[in-house]
Amino acid sequence: MLLLQLLINGLQVGALYALIAVGFSLIFGSTKVFHFAHGSTFTIAAYVFYYLYSVAQLHWVLAILAATLAAVLFGVLLDRFVYAPIQAHEGSFFTVFVASFGIGIVVQNLIGIIFGRSFVSVATPLSRSIEVASGLFVSPLSGIAIVVAALFFWGLQVFLMRTHVGMGLRALSENTELIRAYGLSPRRLSTIVFALGSLLVVPAAILSAASAGLNPAIGHHVMLISLAATIVGGVGSLRGAACAGLLLGMAENLALLYFEPQWSEAVTFIVLFLFILFRPSGFFGRAVTS
């Protein structure tokens, strides 16, 4: 029964990890920007929802809309006013990474100053687990997380495969001249990519706040998952990032059969290390031959 409980919990966590990882992979694969502040986007969305719903007592729909707006604005403004100027002055990949890393640290400290550095959580009726069998408890949030993740992935796939803008996003990292030939602006596409990537973390942030709780440093864990899932799934593969996020969530929970909870993060490193050793191209990445 414990194994089944951990499997159910792993599916919920894995679905949220998949959303986070796909958002990061979409941004990195399309723009080649190592968006370390992706974790900050998650943190901002989660804390905006927490404050408006739990503290200000706003309706949950308004709180979700505000969290979505905050996350998307943060991602888009960061791209427009930080990454774009650096790239315009021929800044290196490392320069962009350092800028993103610095912003992540600033956001973490600002949230710590505003909300405190202690653990907070969002209490909702859906957070309460229901005993469905002897010793087996399931929260409605588990089903919601899986359904929401599936709907977001389906919507993203339709957008990328069946719209001109989506096809432009897929070509963004390959041939900017071809994009211009079709009358599309690479700068505008980059803005859309950051908006979409930021949007994908919002349901994960809100559901995490309602199920596992928050602290200002949670963005670092989000970035660890994003990076690990991108490598494990195969750089540039959204399908791979989703599968890897699910795998990491399952692995973290199943590891509780043998290890203490504080070791769960180490499991992510172990999975990442094994893939680097035995399958460096990831699930769906293409092997590079010399």
Side-chain angles (χ1 to χ4, degrees), residues 1-20 136-139 141-143 145-147 149 153 208 211-212 221 225 242-257 264 267-268:
M1 194 60 72
L2 176 59
L3 177 61
L4 184 57
Q5 181 73 69
L6 292 175
L7 282 171
I8 293 172
N9 294 345
L11 279 174
Q12 175 188 345
V13 174
L16 301 183
Y17 282 179
L19 283 169
I20 294 166
L136 179 64
F137 295 85
V138 177
S139 166
L141 289 179
S142 298
I146 295 168
V147 171
F153 294 147
S208 294
S211 57
H221 181 67
I225 295 299
C243 292
L246 188 61
L247 170 66
L248 293 173
M250 296 290 290
E252 280 190 8
N253 278 270
L254 291 177
L256 296 176
L257 284 170
S264 62
V267 174
T268 300

Side-chain angles (χ1 to χ4, degrees), residues 25-26 28-30 32 173 230-231 233-241 284-285:
S25 183
L26 177 65
F28 181 68
S30 299
K32 303 306 178 188
S173 65
T230 299
I231 295 173
V235 176
S237 172
L238 299 184
R239 178 179 55 168
F284 301 106

